[in-house]
């Protein structure tokens, strides 16, 4: 089927060969990591061109993850708004319960290709930690997961899953004890064990080539969405929504669609208790450009350039930075970024659960909640795709507390 | 070329057998109101260069000691303006070469032009930004040149010969040789000296324009002598902060820190002599 309105894209050539998306990105890391990043980039670009690698990646996604994931028509939810038709891209049906496994498989295959024997990763909500622990169990690799002590409490189920899968979960006690601190500690580990260790970053953040690699391995989401939209609706969606913390599920969904200018893209961040309060994680709505974890991107920071503590009810979005490509897409105007509060997200969980029988992750619920803002402006002959990035089992404790209060 | 700075003059004027000792101190640790007095004691006790740490909330190349010192300083409100004030205060009585060391984000937020202007105006000599390797941020290299601030870069055991030569060309003042692959922090002395010798020889071969100071993991005079045998000197940071942490705020903590520093530089024999002249 023919797709209309594909524009000559300035997006497809990014990043440049130094890892920049416009002014964002780069490799702002200690010298010790420069050779490691050089080797990683070489291995990644070689693997990308290697049909055997691609074949291995695709068949694991099919046979182990269960791809492709369906594009599900959300009939009762659509009826509820009485406007455009709503579809869900069901990444929650991936093995381990979220899109994170797509990237974990890609990176662990690279690690094996590079002969690395020790895998480290950071995790916030625990989904990337579980995905990494899973692929390490599958390949029999040693796996260490850094996780903020605060997140260990609020995502206990995932901690137990990681341990059951054979990973060592190391609590991180510094700062706010959340995702950002876990990344610091993982980078320190990598600096200290750079020869035998592969660091599997879970989001579209970090120094080049990580944001590009994560995008590449997650782009399967957007590519499948294009094919399924053509098959089920005969054309591309009018609106596409995804939640944004670091931004891996969003970039995976958006990137294949960037060149189709009629597809309106929305990235939804976590407004926590409100973007006008100090307690939020809406980096693109409320931050300023700066450098953290190896790249230049929007950042939540103080007037002195210290990193501000993020806040979100959702551990996976509770991060003061964001992937550099999202910063570029924000400034270029190609993607609209907005934010919804903790309370709205919890209402979003309830809405999707009761209308569609799908309990979404708290992260995903931010994108669901934005429907309340967006749907009234849509038309009945249009259709919307939401990236349903993960399932909500891991969040049941938080959700239960909220249900008791309301 | 700009005229020679304090760091170049220091290396030119030192006797060939003498080791230069550079001390790293997080600005404002343990108490911002004591930094000037503490620096004065460090200099009187044998410090040749002062690396003044600009504290950052997320020091990802640092071990627990400097993370701790950074947090203590930040909790007491230390920021770049207060650090420039400290340097101006130090300069009233001291000509010790001062190198600002810290992560890039607070510097970016301050404004690159403003930062380099103030660094020069307060009479600092050099800058080390561990998360800005050479080639990554050309504007900073230009500003160093324009304001006569020495850019100091790091080489590590996994740095290739060719990259070492690039780093040497991009640096002025000295090249900071990271003795072990890891984050900052005092380590078992054996670990440092065992692994470092072959690496230092490689650094010597490739870094030819600048003096070399070796750091990371040095906690005693013996460590310092073992690793700096073939370099112009050594850098101590975490061990100094650990020592201060162990005695602060006890009586005479500044004077005791001076004794510790003298021992680092000259060994215990000299310290005994200086105690009982």
């Amino acid at each position: 089927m023919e797709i209309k309105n594909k524009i000559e894209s300035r997006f497809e050539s990014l990043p440049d060969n130094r890892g920049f998306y416009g002014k964002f990105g780069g490799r702002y890391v200690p010298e010790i990591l420069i050779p490691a990043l050089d080797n990683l980039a070489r291995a990644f670009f070689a693997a990308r061109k290697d049909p055997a690698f691609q074949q291995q990646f695709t068949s694991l996604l099919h046979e182990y993850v269960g791809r492709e994931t369906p594009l599900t028509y959300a009939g009762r939810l659509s009826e509820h708004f009485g406007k455009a038709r709503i579809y869900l891209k069901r990444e929650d049906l991936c093995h381990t319960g979220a899109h994170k496994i797509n990237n974990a498989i890609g990176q662990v295959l690279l690690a094996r290709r590079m002969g690395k024997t020790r895998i480290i990763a950071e995790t916030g909500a625990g989904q990337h930690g579980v995905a990494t622990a899973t692929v390490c169990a599958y390949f029999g690799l040693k796996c260490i997961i850094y996780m903020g002590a605060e997140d260990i409490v609020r995502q206990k189920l995932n901690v137990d899953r990681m341990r059951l899968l054979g990973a060592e979960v190391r609590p991180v006690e510094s700062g706010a004890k959340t995702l950002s601190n876990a990344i610091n500690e993982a980078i320190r580990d990598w600096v200290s064990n750079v020869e035998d260790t592969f660091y599997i970053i879970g989001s579209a953040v970090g120094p080049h080539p990580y944001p590009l690699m994560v995008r590449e391995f997650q782009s399967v989401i957007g590519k499948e969405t294009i094919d399924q939209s053509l098959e089920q609706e005969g054309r591309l969606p009018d609106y596409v929504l995804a939640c944004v913390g670091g931004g891996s599920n969003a970039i995976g969904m958006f990137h294949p669609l960037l060149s189709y200018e009629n597809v309106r893209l929305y990235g939804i961040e976590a407004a926590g208790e409100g973007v006008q309060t100090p307690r939020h994680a809406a980096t693109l709505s409320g931050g300023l450009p700066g450098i953290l974890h190896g790249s230049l991107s929007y950042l939540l920071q103080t007037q002195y350039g210290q990193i501000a503590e993020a806040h979100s009810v959702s551990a996976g979005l509770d991060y003061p930075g964001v992937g550099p490509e999202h910063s570029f897409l924000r400034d270029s105007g190609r993607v609209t970024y907005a934010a919804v509060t903790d309370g709205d997200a919890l209402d979003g969980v309830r809405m999707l659960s009761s209308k569609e029988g799908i309990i979404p992750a708290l992260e995903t619920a931010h994108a669901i909640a934005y429907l309340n803002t967006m749907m009234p402006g849509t038309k009945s002959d249009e259709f919307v795709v939401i990236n349903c990035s993960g399932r909500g089992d891991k969040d049941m404790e938080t959700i239960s507390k909220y249900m008791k209060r309301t | 070329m700009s005229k020679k700075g304090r760091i170049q003059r220091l290396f030119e004027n030192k006797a060939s057998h003498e080791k230069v000792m550079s001390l790293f101190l997080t600005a404002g640790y343990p108490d911002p109101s004591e930094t000037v007095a503490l620096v004065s004691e460090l200099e009187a006790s044998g410090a040749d260069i002062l690396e003044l740490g600009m504290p950052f909330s997320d020091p990802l190349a640092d071990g627990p000691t400097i993370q701790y010192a950074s947090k203590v300083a930040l909790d007491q409100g230390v920021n770049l303006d207060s650090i420039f004030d400290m340097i101006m205060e130090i300069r009233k009585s001291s000509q010790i070469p001062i190198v600002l060391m810290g992560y890039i984000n607070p510097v970016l937020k301050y404004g690159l032009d403003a930062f380099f202007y103030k660094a020069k105006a307060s009479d600092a000599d050099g800058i080390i930004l561990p998360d800005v390797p050479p080639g990554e941020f050309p504007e900073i290299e230009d500003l160093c040149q324009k304001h006569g601030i020495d850019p100091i870069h790091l080489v590590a055991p996994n740095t290739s010969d060719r990259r070492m030569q690039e780093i040497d060309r991009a640096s002025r003042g000295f090249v900071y040789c990271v003795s072990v692959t890891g984050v900052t922090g005092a380590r078992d002395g054996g670990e440092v000296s065992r692994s470092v010798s072959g690496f230092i020889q490689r650094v010597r071969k490739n870094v030819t324009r600048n003096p070399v100071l070796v750091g990371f993991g040095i906690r005693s005079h013996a460590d310092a002598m073992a690793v700096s045998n073939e370099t112009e000197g050594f850098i101590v940071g975490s061990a100094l902060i650990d020592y201060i942490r162990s005695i602060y705020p006890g009586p005479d903590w500044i004077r005791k820190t001076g004794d510790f520093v003298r021992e680092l530089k000259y060994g215990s024999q000299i310290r005994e002599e200086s105690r009982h002249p």
Side-chain angles (χ1 to χ4, degrees), chain B residues 24-257:
Chain B
F24 172 91
L25 177 70
T26 302
Y29 179 80
D31 175 351
S33 69
E34 301 272 23
T35 297
V36 174
L38 179 56
V39 167
S40 169
E41 178 71 22
L42 300 179
E43 185 180 13
S45 308
D48 299 299
I49 297 173
L50 175 69
E51 291 172 24
L52 205 51
M54 304 180 282
F56 182 47
S57 54
D58 291 64
L60 51 76
D62 285 301
T65 298
I66 293 174
Q67 291 176 44
Y68 165 80
S70 303
K71 184 168 187 324
V72 169
L74 289 173
D75 287 348
Q76 296 180 84
V78 170
N79 59 48
L80 291 177
D81 277 324
S82 62
I83 293 172
F84 291 131
D85 289 344
M86 287 175 202
I87 297 175
M88 285 189 277
E89 207 49 43
I90 292 167
R91 278 284 173 258
K92 287 180 180 168
S93 59
S94 167
Q95 292 298 310
I96 189 170
I98 297 176
V99 176
L100 286 162
M101 181 165 185
Y103 296 83
I104 181 66
N105 198 58
V107 173
L108 272 185
K109 190 73 174 62
Y110 195 87
L112 285 178
D113 283 314
F115 176 85
F116 279 92
Y117 174 80
K118 286 285 294 230
K120 193 60 194 176
S122 60
D123 211 3
D125 300 285
I127 185 158
I128 305 174
L129 297 166
D131 54 353
V132 183
E136 209 48 41
F137 212 137
E139 194 183 348
I140 290 180
E141 289 162 36
D142 296 344
L143 284 165
C144 282
Q145 185 71 29
K146 177 177 163 193
H147 291 278
I149 298 288
D150 293 338
I152 293 156
H153 293 289
L154 293 82
V155 295
N158 62 347
T159 308
S160 70
D161 287 6
R162 206 176 122 211
R163 178 80 178 162
M164 281 186 192
Q165 293 160 22
E166 269 174 51
I167 289 167
D168 189 24
R169 279 195 296 276
S171 301
R172 195 170 57 229
F174 63 90
V175 165
Y176 190 139
C177 172
V178 175
S179 62
V180 289
T181 312
V183 295
T184 59
R187 288 168 175 78
D188 166 34
E191 185 193 334
V192 175
S193 53
R194 263 199 312 276
S195 53
V196 81
S197 166
F199 163 52
I200 302 270
Q201 284 169 13
R202 207 161 59 79
V203 174
R204 280 270 72 125
K205 208 173 77 214
N206 292 293
V207 176
T208 54
R209 300 155 61 107
N210 289 288
V212 173
L213 298 185
V214 58
F216 275 41
I218 297 171
R219 61 173 187 181
S220 67
H221 179 70
D223 285 352
M225 291 305 107
V227 298
S228 65
N229 191 28
E230 292 174 68
T231 68
E232 280 76 14
F234 60 94
I235 301 165
V236 178
S238 296
L240 173 65
I241 289 167
D242 282 338
Y243 180 78
I244 295 172
R245 190 177 179 182
S246 73
I247 57 163
Y248 178 83
D252 287 338
W253 69 273
I254 291 184
R255 187 188 57 74
K256 286 179 187 161
T257 302

